[in-house]
Amino acid sequence: MAKTINRRSALRTMLYIAGGTLILPACFRDSGRASIKLTHLSIKESDEVMLESLVEVLIPADDTPGGKELLLHLFVLKMVDDCHDPESQKQFEDGLKQFATWSQKQLSMPFNDAERNQQTELLTRVEESDDESLIAFFKIMKRRAIQGYMSSSYVMTNLVNYEIAPGRYNGYFPMDN
């Protein structure tokens, strides 16, 4: 017994297959490039993953979202790319590469593979280093990560109590005569 094919179901199946073949390469992202478009920085995917780990160590998740959940590493990259001068951008790129080699030497493993307490302890020793590019990178990254956290929509809507400009009216406020 031959079963007849419904044209609508055949077209639907073909669209599913075509859509799947278009979307599938995006699921296995291993391009080696950063996930956002940067005009002045040339950051590799491995650098972005390490920066993501760095931001998560600086602002860990507990009862509030951490740096990784708020995508602060992307904020840091975009701010450095858009708002810093070329000299600072060069310091940031050089410092990021220097941090990767320095942390590999200090931990005997990549920064991402280390335990959280090892990562935290390593970040406390960054400013004791005598490498200027490493210190400059860390200061830029830390400042922009904190800025990104404090201006994130989570913090601004859930943690900061905002009052309109003149403030609340208090009819019982004591006045000096």
Short mmCIF file of all heavy atoms in Angstrom, two decimals, residues 22-69:
data_model
loop_
_atom_site.label_atom_id
_atom_site.label_comp_id
_atom_site.label_asym_id
_atom_site.label_seq_id
_atom_site.Cartn_x
_atom_site.Cartn_y
_atom_site.Cartn_z
N LEU A 22 20.73 25.86 8.12
CA LEU A 22 21.22 27.24 8.23
C LEU A 22 21.61 27.59 9.65
O LEU A 22 22.56 28.34 9.87
CB LEU A 22 20.15 28.22 7.73
CG LEU A 22 19.88 28.22 6.23
CD1 LEU A 22 18.72 29.15 5.92
CD2 LEU A 22 21.12 28.65 5.48
N ILE A 23 20.89 27.06 10.63
CA ILE A 23 21.13 27.41 12.03
C ILE A 23 22.22 26.56 12.66
O ILE A 23 22.93 27.01 13.54
CB ILE A 23 19.82 27.31 12.82
CG1 ILE A 23 18.86 28.39 12.34
CG2 ILE A 23 20.05 27.45 14.31
CD1 ILE A 23 17.50 28.32 12.96
N LEU A 24 22.40 25.35 12.22
CA LEU A 24 23.34 24.42 12.82
C LEU A 24 24.76 24.94 12.94
O LEU A 24 25.38 24.79 13.99
CB LEU A 24 23.32 23.08 12.07
CG LEU A 24 24.04 21.93 12.73
CD1 LEU A 24 23.40 21.63 14.08
CD2 LEU A 24 24.03 20.72 11.84
N PRO A 25 25.33 25.60 11.93
CA PRO A 25 26.70 26.10 12.10
C PRO A 25 26.84 27.12 13.22
O PRO A 25 27.89 27.21 13.84
CB PRO A 25 27.02 26.73 10.75
CG PRO A 25 26.13 26.06 9.79
CD PRO A 25 24.88 25.74 10.56
N ALA A 26 25.79 27.88 13.49
CA ALA A 26 25.86 28.86 14.56
C ALA A 26 25.90 28.20 15.93
O ALA A 26 26.38 28.79 16.90
CB ALA A 26 24.67 29.80 14.48
N CYS A 27 25.40 26.99 16.04
CA CYS A 27 25.41 26.27 17.31
C CYS A 27 26.82 25.82 17.69
O CYS A 27 27.13 25.67 18.86
CB CYS A 27 24.47 25.07 17.25
SG CYS A 27 22.75 25.52 17.04
N PHE A 28 27.65 25.59 16.71
CA PHE A 28 29.01 25.15 16.95
C PHE A 28 29.98 26.28 16.64
O PHE A 28 30.83 26.19 15.80
CB PHE A 28 29.35 23.93 16.08
CG PHE A 28 28.48 22.76 16.38
CD1 PHE A 28 27.49 22.37 15.48
CD2 PHE A 28 28.62 22.05 17.55
CE1 PHE A 28 26.68 21.30 15.75
CE2 PHE A 28 27.81 20.98 17.83
CZ PHE A 28 26.84 20.59 16.93
N ARG A 29 29.83 27.37 17.39
CA ARG A 29 30.62 28.57 17.16
C ARG A 29 32.06 28.32 17.58
O ARG A 29 32.36 28.14 18.74
CB ARG A 29 30.03 29.73 17.95
CG ARG A 29 30.71 31.04 17.70
CD ARG A 29 30.08 32.10 18.61
NE ARG A 29 30.85 33.30 18.67
CZ ARG A 29 31.98 33.43 19.32
NH1 ARG A 29 32.50 32.43 19.95
NH2 ARG A 29 32.62 34.57 19.34
N ASP A 30 32.95 28.28 16.64
CA ASP A 30 34.36 28.13 16.91
C ASP A 30 35.12 28.93 15.85
O ASP A 30 35.99 28.41 15.16
CB ASP A 30 34.76 26.66 16.89
CG ASP A 30 36.15 26.45 17.45
OD1 ASP A 30 36.63 27.32 18.19
OD2 ASP A 30 36.77 25.42 17.13
N SER A 31 34.74 30.17 15.71
CA SER A 31 35.30 30.99 14.65
C SER A 31 36.64 31.58 15.02
O SER A 31 37.39 31.99 14.14
CB SER A 31 34.33 32.13 14.30
OG SER A 31 34.19 32.99 15.41
N GLY A 32 36.94 31.65 16.32
CA GLY A 32 38.18 32.27 16.75
C GLY A 32 38.08 33.76 16.92
O GLY A 32 39.01 34.41 17.38
N ARG A 33 36.93 34.35 16.57
CA ARG A 33 36.74 35.79 16.71
C ARG A 33 35.84 36.09 17.90
O ARG A 33 35.15 35.22 18.40
CB ARG A 33 36.10 36.36 15.45
CG ARG A 33 37.00 36.30 14.23
CD ARG A 33 36.27 36.76 13.01
NE ARG A 33 35.26 35.73 12.74
CZ ARG A 33 34.18 35.92 12.02
NH1 ARG A 33 33.93 37.06 11.48
NH2 ARG A 33 33.33 34.94 11.81
N ALA A 34 35.87 37.34 18.33
CA ALA A 34 34.99 37.76 19.43
C ALA A 34 33.54 37.69 18.97
O ALA A 34 33.23 37.76 17.78
CB ALA A 34 35.34 39.18 19.86
N SER A 35 32.63 37.55 19.93
CA SER A 35 31.22 37.38 19.59
C SER A 35 30.51 38.69 19.26
O SER A 35 29.40 38.67 18.78
CB SER A 35 30.48 36.67 20.73
OG SER A 35 30.53 37.46 21.88
N ILE A 36 31.16 39.82 19.55
CA ILE A 36 30.58 41.11 19.18
C ILE A 36 31.51 41.80 18.19
O ILE A 36 32.70 41.50 18.11
CB ILE A 36 30.32 42.01 20.40
CG1 ILE A 36 31.62 42.30 21.15
CG2 ILE A 36 29.30 41.42 21.31
CD1 ILE A 36 31.49 43.30 22.26
N LYS A 37 30.95 42.75 17.45
CA LYS A 37 31.74 43.46 16.44
C LYS A 37 32.55 44.56 17.13
O LYS A 37 31.99 45.43 17.80
CB LYS A 37 30.82 44.07 15.40
CG LYS A 37 31.55 44.70 14.26
CD LYS A 37 30.59 45.14 13.17
CE LYS A 37 31.34 45.53 11.94
NZ LYS A 37 31.60 46.90 11.77
N LEU A 38 33.85 44.48 16.97
CA LEU A 38 34.76 45.48 17.53
C LEU A 38 35.51 46.14 16.38
O LEU A 38 35.98 45.47 15.46
CB LEU A 38 35.74 44.81 18.50
CG LEU A 38 35.13 44.07 19.67
CD1 LEU A 38 36.18 43.27 20.41
CD2 LEU A 38 34.45 45.04 20.61
N THR A 39 35.64 47.46 16.44
CA THR A 39 36.28 48.17 15.33
C THR A 39 37.77 48.40 15.57
O THR A 39 38.55 48.40 14.63
CB THR A 39 35.59 49.52 15.07
OG1 THR A 39 35.56 50.26 16.28
CG2 THR A 39 34.17 49.30 14.58
N HIS A 40 38.17 48.60 16.82
CA HIS A 40 39.56 48.95 17.09
C HIS A 40 40.34 47.83 17.77
O HIS A 40 41.56 47.82 17.71
CB HIS A 40 39.63 50.20 17.97
CG HIS A 40 38.91 51.37 17.37
ND1 HIS A 40 39.33 52.01 16.23
CD2 HIS A 40 37.77 52.00 17.73
CE1 HIS A 40 38.51 52.99 15.93
NE2 HIS A 40 37.54 53.01 16.82
N LEU A 41 39.67 46.93 18.44
CA LEU A 41 40.34 45.84 19.14
C LEU A 41 40.31 44.58 18.28
O LEU A 41 39.35 44.34 17.55
CB LEU A 41 39.63 45.53 20.46
CG LEU A 41 39.65 46.61 21.53
CD1 LEU A 41 38.84 46.18 22.73
CD2 LEU A 41 41.07 46.92 21.96
N SER A 42 41.35 43.80 18.40
CA SER A 42 41.36 42.49 17.74
C SER A 42 41.48 41.43 18.84
O SER A 42 42.56 41.10 19.29
CB SER A 42 42.50 42.38 16.74
OG SER A 42 43.74 42.57 17.38
N ILE A 43 40.33 40.95 19.28
CA ILE A 43 40.25 40.00 20.37
C ILE A 43 39.83 38.64 19.81
O ILE A 43 38.91 38.55 19.01
CB ILE A 43 39.21 40.48 21.42
CG1 ILE A 43 39.58 41.85 21.96
CG2 ILE A 43 39.05 39.48 22.54
CD1 ILE A 43 40.83 41.90 22.77
N LYS A 44 40.52 37.61 20.26
CA LYS A 44 40.17 36.26 19.84
C LYS A 44 39.10 35.70 20.78
O LYS A 44 38.85 36.23 21.86
CB LYS A 44 41.41 35.36 19.88
CG LYS A 44 42.50 35.78 18.90
CD LYS A 44 43.64 34.81 18.92
CE LYS A 44 44.32 34.91 20.26
NZ LYS A 44 45.54 34.14 20.38
N GLU A 45 38.49 34.61 20.34
CA GLU A 45 37.44 33.96 21.14
C GLU A 45 37.99 33.47 22.48
O GLU A 45 37.33 33.59 23.51
CB GLU A 45 36.84 32.81 20.35
CG GLU A 45 35.68 32.15 21.04
CD GLU A 45 35.08 31.04 20.20
OE1 GLU A 45 35.58 30.76 19.11
OE2 GLU A 45 34.09 30.46 20.67
N SER A 46 39.20 32.96 22.49
CA SER A 46 39.80 32.47 23.74
C SER A 46 40.04 33.62 24.72
O SER A 46 39.88 33.46 25.93
CB SER A 46 41.11 31.74 23.46
OG SER A 46 42.03 32.59 22.79
N ASP A 47 40.41 34.80 24.19
CA ASP A 47 40.58 35.97 25.04
C ASP A 47 39.25 36.40 25.65
O ASP A 47 39.18 36.80 26.81
CB ASP A 47 41.17 37.13 24.25
CG ASP A 47 42.58 36.85 23.76
OD1 ASP A 47 43.26 36.00 24.37
OD2 ASP A 47 42.99 37.48 22.76
N GLU A 48 38.19 36.32 24.85
CA GLU A 48 36.87 36.70 25.35
C GLU A 48 36.41 35.75 26.46
O GLU A 48 35.84 36.18 27.45
CB GLU A 48 35.86 36.69 24.21
CG GLU A 48 34.48 37.12 24.64
CD GLU A 48 33.48 37.10 23.51
OE1 GLU A 48 33.87 37.16 22.34
OE2 GLU A 48 32.28 37.01 23.83
N VAL A 49 36.69 34.46 26.29
CA VAL A 49 36.30 33.48 27.32
C VAL A 49 37.08 33.73 28.61
O VAL A 49 36.53 33.66 29.72
CB VAL A 49 36.53 32.05 26.79
CG1 VAL A 49 36.37 31.02 27.89
CG2 VAL A 49 35.57 31.77 25.65
N MET A 50 38.37 34.06 28.48
CA MET A 50 39.17 34.36 29.67
C MET A 50 38.67 35.64 30.34
O MET A 50 38.58 35.71 31.57
CB MET A 50 40.64 34.50 29.32
CG MET A 50 41.52 34.65 30.55
SD MET A 50 43.25 34.84 30.19
CE MET A 50 43.27 36.35 29.27
N LEU A 51 38.32 36.65 29.55
CA LEU A 51 37.79 37.89 30.11
C LEU A 51 36.47 37.63 30.83
O LEU A 51 36.19 38.22 31.87
CB LEU A 51 37.62 38.93 29.00
CG LEU A 51 37.28 40.34 29.44
CD1 LEU A 51 38.38 40.92 30.30
CD2 LEU A 51 37.05 41.22 28.23
N GLU A 52 35.67 36.73 30.28
CA GLU A 52 34.41 36.34 30.92
C GLU A 52 34.68 35.73 32.30
O GLU A 52 34.00 36.04 33.28
CB GLU A 52 33.67 35.37 30.03
CG GLU A 52 32.33 34.92 30.55
CD GLU A 52 31.66 33.94 29.61
OE1 GLU A 52 32.34 33.09 29.02
OE2 GLU A 52 30.42 34.04 29.47
N SER A 53 35.69 34.89 32.39
CA SER A 53 36.06 34.29 33.68
C SER A 53 36.60 35.33 34.65
O SER A 53 36.29 35.29 35.84
CB SER A 53 37.11 33.20 33.48
OG SER A 53 36.62 32.16 32.70
N LEU A 54 37.37 36.26 34.13
CA LEU A 54 37.91 37.33 34.98
C LEU A 54 36.79 38.17 35.59
O LEU A 54 36.81 38.47 36.79
CB LEU A 54 38.80 38.25 34.14
CG LEU A 54 40.26 37.87 34.00
CD1 LEU A 54 40.90 38.67 32.88
CD2 LEU A 54 40.97 38.15 35.29
N VAL A 55 35.83 38.53 34.77
CA VAL A 55 34.71 39.35 35.25
C VAL A 55 33.87 38.57 36.26
O VAL A 55 33.40 39.14 37.24
CB VAL A 55 33.88 39.85 34.05
CG1 VAL A 55 32.59 40.46 34.49
CG2 VAL A 55 34.67 40.85 33.24
N GLU A 56 33.72 37.28 36.04
CA GLU A 56 32.95 36.47 36.98
C GLU A 56 33.67 36.35 38.33
O GLU A 56 33.03 36.29 39.37
CB GLU A 56 32.69 35.08 36.39
CG GLU A 56 31.86 34.18 37.27
CD GLU A 56 30.44 34.70 37.52
OE1 GLU A 56 29.90 35.46 36.71
OE2 GLU A 56 29.88 34.31 38.55
N VAL A 57 35.00 36.34 38.33
CA VAL A 57 35.74 36.30 39.59
C VAL A 57 35.62 37.65 40.29
O VAL A 57 35.48 37.70 41.52
CB VAL A 57 37.22 35.92 39.34
CG1 VAL A 57 38.04 36.07 40.60
CG2 VAL A 57 37.31 34.50 38.83
N LEU A 58 35.66 38.74 39.53
CA LEU A 58 35.52 40.06 40.15
C LEU A 58 34.13 40.27 40.74
O LEU A 58 33.99 40.80 41.84
CB LEU A 58 35.77 41.16 39.11
CG LEU A 58 37.20 41.54 38.82
CD1 LEU A 58 37.25 42.59 37.75
CD2 LEU A 58 37.89 42.02 40.07
N ILE A 59 33.11 39.90 39.99
CA ILE A 59 31.72 40.09 40.44
C ILE A 59 31.04 38.72 40.38
O ILE A 59 30.40 38.37 39.39
CB ILE A 59 30.99 41.12 39.56
CG1 ILE A 59 31.76 42.43 39.57
CG2 ILE A 59 29.56 41.32 40.04
CD1 ILE A 59 31.26 43.47 38.63
N PRO A 60 31.20 37.94 41.46
CA PRO A 60 30.64 36.58 41.44
C PRO A 60 29.12 36.58 41.65
O PRO A 60 28.56 37.51 42.23
CB PRO A 60 31.35 35.89 42.61
CG PRO A 60 31.72 37.00 43.53
CD PRO A 60 31.95 38.21 42.67
N ALA A 61 28.50 35.53 41.17
CA ALA A 61 27.06 35.38 41.35
C ALA A 61 26.79 34.80 42.73
O ALA A 61 27.44 33.85 43.15
CB ALA A 61 26.50 34.46 40.28
N ASP A 62 25.87 35.40 43.45
CA ASP A 62 25.38 34.84 44.71
C ASP A 62 23.86 34.98 44.68
O ASP A 62 23.22 34.35 43.87
CB ASP A 62 26.05 35.48 45.93
CG ASP A 62 26.07 37.00 45.86
OD1 ASP A 62 25.39 37.57 45.00
OD2 ASP A 62 26.75 37.62 46.69
N ASP A 63 23.29 35.83 45.52
CA ASP A 63 21.85 36.06 45.43
C ASP A 63 21.52 37.09 44.34
O ASP A 63 20.37 37.29 44.01
CB ASP A 63 21.27 36.49 46.78
CG ASP A 63 21.95 37.72 47.35
OD1 ASP A 63 23.09 38.00 46.94
OD2 ASP A 63 21.35 38.38 48.21
N THR A 64 22.55 37.74 43.82
CA THR A 64 22.39 38.63 42.67
C THR A 64 23.16 38.05 41.49
O THR A 64 24.09 37.27 41.69
CB THR A 64 22.93 40.05 42.98
OG1 THR A 64 24.33 39.94 43.26
CG2 THR A 64 22.21 40.68 44.15
N PRO A 65 22.81 38.39 40.27
CA PRO A 65 23.55 37.86 39.12
C PRO A 65 24.99 38.34 39.12
O PRO A 65 25.29 39.46 39.55
CB PRO A 65 22.80 38.41 37.92
CG PRO A 65 21.59 39.07 38.42
CD PRO A 65 21.69 39.22 39.89
N GLY A 66 25.87 37.50 38.63
CA GLY A 66 27.28 37.84 38.55
C GLY A 66 27.65 38.46 37.22
O GLY A 66 26.81 38.72 36.36
N GLY A 67 28.94 38.66 37.04
CA GLY A 67 29.44 39.29 35.83
C GLY A 67 29.19 38.48 34.58
O GLY A 67 28.94 39.03 33.52
N LYS A 68 29.27 37.17 34.70
CA LYS A 68 29.05 36.32 33.53
C LYS A 68 27.59 36.37 33.10
O LYS A 68 27.28 36.44 31.92
CB LYS A 68 29.45 34.89 33.88
CG LYS A 68 29.39 33.93 32.74
CD LYS A 68 29.91 32.57 33.19
CE LYS A 68 29.99 31.60 32.04
NZ LYS A 68 30.55 30.32 32.46
N GLU A 69 26.70 36.33 34.07
CA GLU A 69 25.26 36.35 33.77
C GLU A 69 24.82 37.69 33.18
O GLU A 69 23.93 37.74 32.34
CB GLU A 69 24.49 36.06 35.06
CG GLU A 69 23.11 35.57 34.85
CD GLU A 69 22.48 35.12 36.17
OE1 GLU A 69 23.21 34.67 37.06
OE2 GLU A 69 21.26 35.25 36.27
#
